[in-house]
């Protein structure tokens, strides 16, 4: 039976739960900022005020309010009760909380792993079982922390044009939530056995993209020692215009479809009404457009793109582990099963590419993926544009100034699934959650004892690698210094292939990487900075 355990923080005392069988304590739903409701809606976060007495930290806080996406988890996994099923949304706006798993009895200077969940910045929550940090703490000498942040238009929509000067930069409020949580963690984690000088910030998908923006803003220099970027780098011009004006254009379209008349109108809406406006807008948008919720280079909080920042050597003091999956766009087949039946021309319509580039790219991907259907080749091209090449190009710039960059390619794929090694599938291995209901729904149930054993072995190797990186900055040490990982460099380009086993290959995507390296200005410019504003 779990027992209560109390820890004192600068914000007040919190009472969590200790599992005597594992020795792991969990402190859940700790507020790090004031509720962003009422006059604080669409405003930057305000650090939480100190409370009196002992605050109950035995239960997760609410998910941040958003449309429910069944692929992200069931309502029960989001903490909704049977009586909540009539709600048209998940979570609440009062959601700025974090969760901590720790072995309090261990040495008081354990490495800290902080996780930011993905979900295109409009869905998701830290309370999903796949994101629980129990397995990290169970298998490693670390303190694990996860957080909620505002989603959708509440955290990532530029409202300066709608609301005036005081709302300029509102597209970065979700990032500011994350940074506020990081500062709280940095100041208080010692009370939970964590080493504030050894924090590793981990993010996947939108969480990874957001971290790349925090890195580019110089906001991590004083509070984070390492970052892990899983399938996401910000600043890709083929996806969005990340300028403030680009944010205003996105907002105009979204607000028109959402039928929002003024900032006062938007602020008066109840949570249910606001999320229903989101739903209206999404009905007019393709699944790819639903990734519109993004930070913007506003000239104050963000002055440079992730690649611009890295290209100037400004990220050299932070260790980086960065990677992607083998078939990123496979996840989108869950939303539109016909995507891999479409040809290049169909997908090119949404990309700002000249006709000569389109011809070159089609020829290149026909060559590299000649054994695949045209639809799969086109999906591989989209995977490269959205995820793979931004990841590899950022690694190229980072490694020019640091020998502490590590690159991976998650290539494991479930048998017979058209999704293959899809976006987000690696998460269940990093977190050792392949056997959860959510994990089995996406990566599938092993068809044999051998397959089950291979999945578990890969998961344990991946988690050991991440724990080792968080502890000493080298993922290979966690595997006994076996050479399965090698630091990245711009000559050999060693990459850890995460498949049924981990093995290093040199420059595994040499043909496509070389083309994009010679044309990287199509994706981003190393000079993208505030001077253009």
């Amino acid at each position: 039976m779990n027992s209560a355990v109390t820890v004192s923080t600068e914000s007040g005392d919190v009472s969590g739960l200790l599992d005597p069988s594992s020795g792991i304590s969990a402190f859940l739903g700790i507020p790090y900022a004031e509720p962003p409701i009422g006059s604080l809606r669409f405003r930057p976060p305000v650090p939480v005020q100190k409370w009196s007495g002992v605050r109950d930290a035995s239960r997760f806080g609410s998910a941040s309010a958003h449309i429910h996406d069944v692929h992200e988890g069931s309502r029960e996994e989001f903490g909704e009760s049977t009586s909540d099923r009539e709600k048209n949304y998940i979570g609440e706006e009062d959601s700025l909380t974090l969760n901590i798993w720790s072995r309090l009895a261990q040495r008081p200077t354990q490495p800290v792993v902080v996780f930011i969940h993905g979900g295109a910045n409009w869905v998701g929550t830290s309370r999903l079982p796949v994101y629980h940090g129990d397995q990290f703490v169970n298998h490693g000498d670390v303190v694990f922390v996860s957080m909620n942040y505002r989603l959708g238009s509440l955290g990532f929509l530029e409202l300066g044009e709608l609301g005036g000067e005081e709302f300029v930069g509102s597209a970065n409020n979700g990032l500011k939530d994350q940074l506020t949580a990081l500062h709280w963690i940095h100041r208080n984690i010692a009370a939970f056995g964590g080493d504030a000088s050894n924090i590793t910030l981990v993010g996947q998908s939108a969480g990874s993209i957001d971290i790349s923006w925090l890195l580019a803003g110089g906001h991590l220099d004083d509070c984070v020692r390492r970052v892990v970027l899983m399938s996401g780098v910000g600043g890709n011009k083929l996806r969005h215009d990340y300028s403030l004006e680009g944010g205003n254009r996105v907002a105009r379209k979204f607000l028109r479809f959402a039928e929002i008349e003024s900032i006062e109108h938007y602020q008066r809406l109840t949570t249910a009404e606001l999320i229903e406006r989101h739903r209206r807008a999404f009905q007019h948008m393709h699944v790819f457009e639903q990734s519109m919720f993004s930070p913007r280079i506003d000239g104050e909080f963000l002055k440079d793109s992730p690649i611009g920042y890295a290209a100037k050597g400004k990220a050299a003091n932070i260790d980086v582990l960065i990677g992607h999956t083998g078939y990123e766009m496979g996840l989108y087949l869950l939303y539109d099963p016909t995507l891999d039946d479409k040809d290049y021309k169909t997908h090119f319509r949404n990309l700002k590419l000249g006709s000569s580039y389109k011809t070159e790219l089609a020829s290149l991907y026909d060559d590299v993926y000649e054994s695949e259907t045209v639809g799969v080749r086109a999906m591989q091209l989209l995977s490269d544009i959205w995820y793979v090449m931004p990841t590899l190009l950022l690694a190229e710039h980072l490694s020019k100034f640091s020998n502490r960059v590590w690159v991976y390619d998650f290539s494991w794929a479930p048998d017979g699934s058209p999704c293959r090694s899809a976006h987000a599938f690696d998460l269940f291995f990093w977190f050792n959650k392949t056997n959860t209901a959510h994990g089995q729904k996406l990566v599938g149930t092993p068809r044999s004892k051998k397959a089950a054993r291979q999945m578990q072995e890969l998961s344990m190797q991946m988690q050991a690698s991440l724990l080792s990186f968080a502890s000493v900055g080298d993922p290979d040490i966690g595997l006994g210094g076996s050479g399965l990982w090698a630091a990245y460099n711009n000559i050999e380009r060693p990459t850890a292939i995460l498949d049924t086993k981990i093995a290093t290959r040199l420059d595994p995507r040499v043909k496509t990487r070389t083309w994009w390296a010679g044309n990287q200005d199509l994706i981003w410019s190393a000079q993208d900075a505030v001077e253009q504003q």
Side-chain angles (χ1 to χ4, degrees), residues 34-46 65 89 92-94 96 150-157 159 162-163 166-167 170 173-174 177 260 262-278:
E34 289 296 296
I37 58 178
S39 62
L40 295 182
R41 183 189 266 181
F42 306 129
R43 305 279 190 169
V46 175
Y89 64 98
E92 303 295 339
E93 291 186 59
D94 180 359
L96 300 186
R150 280 175 286 181
L151 302 170
S153 71
L154 292 165
F156 291 94
L157 190 66
L159 296 172
L162 183 74
E166 59 188 303
F167 291 94
S170 59
N173 283 340
D177 291 346
I260 301 298
S262 65
I263 193 69
E264 293 77 19
H265 175 211
Y266 216 179
Q267 287 183 312
R268 285 196 306 268
L269 296 177
T270 65
T271 304
E273 290 170 340
L274 183 144
I275 299 301
E276 183 55 36
R277 300 304 177 105
H278 279 207

Side-chain angles (χ1 to χ4, degrees), residues 58-183:
S58 63
R59 293 175 294 179
F60 286 102
S62 294
S64 293
H66 65 276
I67 299 171
H68 180 216
D69 176 1
V70 295
H71 300 298
E72 293 290 319
S74 66
R75 278 188 174 271
E76 288 75 16
E77 289 176 309
F78 276 92
E80 303 281 285
S81 66
T82 303
S83 61
D84 289 323
R85 288 190 175 276
E86 298 304 314
K87 282 173 52 178
N88 70 336
Y89 64 98
I90 288 286
E92 303 295 339
E93 291 186 59
D94 180 359
S95 62
L96 300 186
T97 61
L98 53 82
N99 317 295
I100 302 173
W101 286 264
S102 173
R103 292 184 186 272
L104 294 176
Q106 297 285 77
R107 60 187 176 89
T109 55
Q110 299 168 82
V112 181
V113 174
V114 180
F115 180 71
I116 301 178
H117 71 79
N121 282 332
W122 67 268
V123 294
T125 175
S126 64
R127 67 179 296 149
L128 287 177
V130 65
Y131 301 143
H132 293 185
D134 54 330
Q135 293 300 310
F136 278 104
V137 177
N138 191 42
H139 294 139
D141 181 19
V142 297
V143 175
F144 185 94
V145 188
S146 61
M147 68 178 76
N148 288 342
Y149 55 96
R150 280 175 286 181
L151 302 170
S153 71
L154 292 165
F156 291 94
L157 190 66
E158 180 52 47
L159 296 172
E161 194 171 81
L162 183 74
E165 185 66 28
E166 59 188 303
F167 291 94
V168 171
S170 59
N172 295 329
N173 283 340
L175 278 190
K176 294 175 182 178
D177 291 346
Q178 296 165 8
L179 188 59
T180 301
L182 273 173
H183 287 160

Side-chain angles (χ1 to χ4, degrees), residues 443-454:
V443 303
T445 302
R447 295 185 177 183
S448 66
K449 290 183 179 179
K450 179 181 179 181
R453 186 174 64 254
Q454 288 177 334

Side-chain angles (χ1 to χ4, degrees), residues 432-463:
N432 194 24
K433 301 285 185 177
T434 58
N435 60 351
T436 62
H438 195 183
Q440 291 180 357
K441 180 180 178 181
L442 290 187
V443 303
T445 302
R447 295 185 177 183
S448 66
K449 290 183 179 179
K450 179 181 179 181
R453 186 174 64 254
Q454 288 177 334
M455 286 178 66
Q456 183 60 19
E457 288 174 354
L458 176 61
S459 182
M460 293 302 292
Q461 281 192 319
M462 288 172 60
Q463 191 168 85

